[in-house]
PDB file of all heavy atoms in Angstrom:
ATOM      1  N   ARG L 115      23.790 -21.435  40.173  1.00 95.00           N
ATOM      2  CA  ARG L 115      22.654 -20.965  39.381  1.00 95.00           C
ATOM      3  C   ARG L 115      21.854 -22.168  38.908  1.00 95.00           C
ATOM      4  O   ARG L 115      22.297 -22.906  38.040  1.00 95.00           O
ATOM      5  CB  ARG L 115      23.138 -20.132  38.208  1.00 95.00           C
ATOM      6  CG  ARG L 115      22.108 -19.133  37.697  1.00 95.00           C
ATOM      7  CD  ARG L 115      22.752 -17.948  37.038  1.00 95.00           C
ATOM      8  NE  ARG L 115      21.776 -16.944  36.700  1.00 95.00           N
ATOM      9  CZ  ARG L 115      22.050 -15.804  36.091  1.00 95.00           C
ATOM     10  NH1 ARG L 115      23.297 -15.529  35.752  1.00 95.00           N
ATOM     11  NH2 ARG L 115      21.109 -14.942  35.823  1.00 95.00           N
ATOM     12  N   VAL L 116      20.693 -22.365  39.481  1.00 95.00           N
ATOM     13  CA  VAL L 116      19.886 -23.531  39.137  1.00 95.00           C
ATOM     14  C   VAL L 116      19.041 -23.234  37.910  1.00 95.00           C
ATOM     15  O   VAL L 116      18.731 -22.076  37.605  1.00 95.00           O
ATOM     16  CB  VAL L 116      18.978 -23.938  40.319  1.00 95.00           C
ATOM     17  CG1 VAL L 116      19.808 -24.321  41.531  1.00 95.00           C
ATOM     18  CG2 VAL L 116      18.010 -22.815  40.660  1.00 95.00           C
ATOM     19  N   ALA L 117      18.679 -24.291  37.206  1.00 95.00           N
ATOM     20  CA  ALA L 117      17.801 -24.141  36.043  1.00 95.00           C
ATOM     21  C   ALA L 117      16.429 -23.659  36.502  1.00 95.00           C
ATOM     22  O   ALA L 117      15.940 -24.034  37.569  1.00 95.00           O
ATOM     23  CB  ALA L 117      17.682 -25.470  35.314  1.00 95.00           C
ATOM     24  N   GLU L 118      15.809 -22.801  35.690  1.00 95.00           N
ATOM     25  CA  GLU L 118      14.502 -22.245  36.015  1.00 95.00           C
ATOM     26  C   GLU L 118      13.560 -22.394  34.830  1.00 95.00           C
ATOM     27  O   GLU L 118      13.985 -22.349  33.675  1.00 95.00           O
ATOM     28  CB  GLU L 118      14.610 -20.762  36.358  1.00 95.00           C
ATOM     29  CG  GLU L 118      15.486 -20.423  37.550  1.00 95.00           C
ATOM     30  CD  GLU L 118      15.578 -18.922  37.758  1.00 95.00           C
ATOM     31  OE1 GLU L 118      16.417 -18.295  37.086  1.00 95.00           O
ATOM     32  OE2 GLU L 118      14.791 -18.381  38.558  1.00 95.00           O
ATOM     33  N   PHE L 119      12.285 -22.515  35.116  1.00 92.00           N
ATOM     34  CA  PHE L 119      11.288 -22.559  34.043  1.00 92.00           C
ATOM     35  C   PHE L 119      11.318 -21.254  33.251  1.00 92.00           C
ATOM     36  O   PHE L 119      11.307 -21.253  32.016  1.00 92.00           O
ATOM     37  CB  PHE L 119       9.905 -22.800  34.634  1.00 92.00           C
ATOM     38  CG  PHE L 119       8.807 -22.806  33.604  1.00 92.00           C
ATOM     39  CD1 PHE L 119       8.741 -23.813  32.659  1.00 92.00           C
ATOM     40  CD2 PHE L 119       7.847 -21.804  33.585  1.00 92.00           C
ATOM     41  CE1 PHE L 119       7.734 -23.819  31.699  1.00 92.00           C
ATOM     42  CE2 PHE L 119       6.844 -21.808  32.630  1.00 92.00           C
ATOM     43  CZ  PHE L 119       6.783 -22.815  31.690  1.00 92.00           C
ATOM     44  N   LEU L 120      11.370 -20.131  33.972  1.00 91.00           N
ATOM     45  CA  LEU L 120      11.526 -18.816  33.361  1.00 91.00           C
ATOM     46  C   LEU L 120      12.809 -18.201  33.918  1.00 91.00           C
ATOM     47  O   LEU L 120      12.793 -17.601  34.999  1.00 91.00           O
ATOM     48  CB  LEU L 120      10.325 -17.917  33.681  1.00 91.00           C
ATOM     49  CG  LEU L 120       8.971 -18.372  33.146  1.00 91.00           C
ATOM     50  CD1 LEU L 120       7.863 -17.440  33.627  1.00 91.00           C
ATOM     51  CD2 LEU L 120       8.983 -18.407  31.615  1.00 91.00           C
ATOM     52  N   PRO L 121      13.937 -18.382  33.256  1.00 95.00           N
ATOM     53  CA  PRO L 121      15.217 -17.879  33.790  1.00 95.00           C
ATOM     54  C   PRO L 121      15.171 -16.382  34.065  1.00 95.00           C
ATOM     55  O   PRO L 121      14.696 -15.591  33.238  1.00 95.00           O
ATOM     56  CB  PRO L 121      16.212 -18.200  32.664  1.00 95.00           C
ATOM     57  CG  PRO L 121      15.586 -19.350  31.941  1.00 95.00           C
ATOM     58  CD  PRO L 121      14.111 -19.089  31.980  1.00 95.00           C
ATOM     59  N   SER L 122      15.632 -15.995  35.250  1.00 95.00           N
ATOM     60  CA  SER L 122      15.557 -14.603  35.677  1.00 95.00           C
ATOM     61  C   SER L 122      16.944 -13.996  35.798  1.00 95.00           C
ATOM     62  O   SER L 122      17.947 -14.697  35.958  1.00 95.00           O
ATOM     63  CB  SER L 122      14.835 -14.509  37.025  1.00 95.00           C
ATOM     64  OG  SER L 122      15.500 -15.294  37.999  1.00 95.00           O
ATOM     65  N   ALA L 123      16.985 -12.661  35.721  1.00 96.00           N
ATOM     66  CA  ALA L 123      18.235 -11.941  35.923  1.00 96.00           C
ATOM     67  C   ALA L 123      18.631 -12.026  37.395  1.00 96.00           C
ATOM     68  O   ALA L 123      17.779 -12.182  38.279  1.00 96.00           O
ATOM     69  CB  ALA L 123      18.069 -10.482  35.511  1.00 96.00           C
ATOM     70  N   LEU L 124      19.917 -11.931  37.654  1.00 96.00           N
ATOM     71  CA  LEU L 124      20.383 -11.915  39.043  1.00 96.00           C
ATOM     72  C   LEU L 124      19.932 -10.626  39.720  1.00 96.00           C
ATOM     73  O   LEU L 124      20.016  -9.536  39.132  1.00 96.00           O
ATOM     74  CB  LEU L 124      21.908 -12.010  39.088  1.00 96.00           C
ATOM     75  CG  LEU L 124      22.519 -13.348  38.646  1.00 96.00           C
ATOM     76  CD1 LEU L 124      24.036 -13.207  38.537  1.00 96.00           C
ATOM     77  CD2 LEU L 124      22.145 -14.457  39.626  1.00 96.00           C
ATOM     78  N   LYS L 125      19.460 -10.756  40.943  1.00 95.00           N
ATOM     79  CA  LYS L 125      19.123  -9.563  41.722  1.00 95.00           C
ATOM     80  C   LYS L 125      20.413  -8.868  42.167  1.00 95.00           C
ATOM     81  O   LYS L 125      21.476  -9.489  42.218  1.00 95.00           O
ATOM     82  CB  LYS L 125      18.294  -9.954  42.948  1.00 95.00           C
ATOM     83  CG  LYS L 125      16.968 -10.602  42.599  1.00 95.00           C
ATOM     84  CD  LYS L 125      16.245 -11.066  43.851  1.00 95.00           C
ATOM     85  CE  LYS L 125      14.949 -11.777  43.501  1.00 95.00           C
ATOM     86  NZ  LYS L 125      14.253 -12.302  44.704  1.00 95.00           N
ATOM     87  N   ARG L 126      20.298  -7.611  42.499  1.00 93.00           N
ATOM     88  CA  ARG L 126      21.477  -6.844  42.926  1.00 93.00           C
ATOM     89  C   ARG L 126      22.189  -7.545  44.083  1.00 93.00           C
ATOM     90  O   ARG L 126      23.419  -7.627  44.121  1.00 93.00           O
ATOM     91  CB  ARG L 126      21.054  -5.427  43.337  1.00 93.00           C
ATOM     92  CG  ARG L 126      22.200  -4.488  43.689  1.00 93.00           C
ATOM     93  CD  ARG L 126      21.661  -3.151  44.171  1.00 93.00           C
ATOM     94  NE  ARG L 126      22.736  -2.248  44.555  1.00 93.00           N
ATOM     95  CZ  ARG L 126      23.282  -1.339  43.765  1.00 93.00           C
ATOM     96  NH1 ARG L 126      22.843  -1.212  42.515  1.00 93.00           N
ATOM     97  NH2 ARG L 126      24.262  -0.552  44.194  1.00 93.00           N
ATOM     98  N   SER L 127      21.403  -8.086  45.029  1.00 92.00           N
ATOM     99  CA  SER L 127      21.980  -8.754  46.194  1.00 92.00           C
ATOM    100  C   SER L 127      22.666 -10.065  45.839  1.00 92.00           C
ATOM    101  O   SER L 127      23.451 -10.595  46.619  1.00 92.00           O
ATOM    102  CB  SER L 127      20.900  -9.003  47.244  1.00 92.00           C
ATOM    103  OG  SER L 127      19.883  -9.843  46.718  1.00 92.00           O
ATOM    104  N   GLU L 128      22.357 -10.615  44.659  1.00 94.00           N
ATOM    105  CA  GLU L 128      22.933 -11.890  44.239  1.00 94.00           C
ATOM    106  C   GLU L 128      24.207 -11.721  43.415  1.00 94.00           C
ATOM    107  O   GLU L 128      24.894 -12.696  43.134  1.00 94.00           O
ATOM    108  CB  GLU L 128      21.907 -12.667  43.404  1.00 94.00           C
ATOM    109  CG  GLU L 128      20.662 -13.076  44.176  1.00 94.00           C
ATOM    110  CD  GLU L 128      19.595 -13.691  43.293  1.00 94.00           C
ATOM    111  OE1 GLU L 128      19.495 -13.284  42.104  1.00 94.00           O
ATOM    112  OE2 GLU L 128      18.864 -14.583  43.785  1.00 94.00           O
TER     113      GLU L 128
END
Side-chain angles (χ1 to χ4, degrees):
R115 205 153 187 181
V116 298
E118 299 177 276
F119 178 67
L120 297 176
S122 58
L124 291 171
K125 298 175 183 177
R126 185 184 178 94
S127 61
E128 295 173 328

